[in-house]
């Protein structure tokens, strides 16, 4: 199924932003869901992953204590709350779904995932 991320924009360092991810026409289903990002000139990295049971099973080292993942009670919307944003958080943010959170670790092709959404640009700059 197709995922769509939204909510990106330009924010000053230290600011906050909340991204959303929805599945067209339906819920997010009984899958692990989460976020990746890719900064200019850098490899894609996992940010956060929420298991199908609602547990955070992956958190990227660079976002610990600043970013949080959640979803609404009806599993219709996945959120990424980003606080204390830094210029190095700049990049395109993608939401993805898979059976487990295992693929948030290491390097994997987007084709390996159950679903991969269009990204949303986040720019942190003064």
């Amino acid at each position: 199924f197709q995922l769509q991320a939204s909510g990106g924009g330009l924010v000053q360092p230290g600011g906050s932003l909340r991204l959303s991810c929805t599945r067209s026409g339906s819920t997010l289903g009984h899958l692990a869901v989460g976020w990746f990002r890719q900064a200019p000139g850098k490899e894609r990295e996992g940010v956060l992953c929420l298991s199908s049971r609602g547990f955070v099973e992956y958190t990227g080292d660079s976002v610990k204590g600043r970013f949080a993942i959640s979803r609404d009670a009806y599993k219709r919307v996945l959120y990424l709350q980003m606080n204390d944003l830094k210029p190095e958080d700049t990049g395109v943010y993608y939401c993805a779904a898979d059976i487990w959170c295992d693929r948030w670790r290491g390097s994997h092709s987007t084709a390996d995932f159950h679903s991969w959404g269009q990204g949303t640009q986040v720019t942190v700059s003064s």
Side-chain angles (χ1 to χ4, degrees):
F1 51 78
Q2 186 68 30
L3 299 171
Q4 178 66 54
S6 62
L10 174 64
V11 62
Q12 293 187 343
S16 297
L17 206 59
R18 188 174 78 162
L19 306 183
S20 300
C21 175
T22 57
R23 172 186 177 185
S24 178
S26 186
T27 69
L28 295 170
H30 300 288
L31 295 169
V33 286
W35 296 90
F36 285 82
R37 69 183 182 185
Q38 187 162 19
K42 295 187 177 181
E43 291 188 358
R44 185 175 61 244
E45 64 173 340
V47 178
L48 281 158
C49 182
L50 196 66
S51 72
S52 60
R53 295 189 176 185
F55 298 108
V56 180
E57 293 193 349
Y58 178 81
T59 303
D61 289 338
S62 60
V63 305
K64 286 179 179 177
R66 300 188 299 122
F67 289 14
I69 188 172
S70 63
R71 64 185 177 194
D72 73 318
Y74 300 101
K75 297 184 181 180
R76 293 188 180 275
V77 188
L78 178 71
Y79 299 104
L80 179 65
Q81 178 66 43
M82 304 185 293
N83 299 323
D84 189 23
L85 282 160
K86 304 176 180 181
E88 51 264 41
D89 294 318
T90 294
V92 179
Y93 283 71
Y94 302 89
C95 55
D98 208 7
I99 304 299
W100 298 289
C101 289
D102 292 1
R103 291 195 176 105
W104 267 255
R105 299 174 179 84
S107 179
H108 300 276
S109 167
T110 58
D112 293 337
F113 289 80
H114 185 283
S115 300
W116 189 269
Q118 292 182 308
T120 185
Q121 175 71 44
V122 172
T123 302
V124 184
S125 175
S126 55

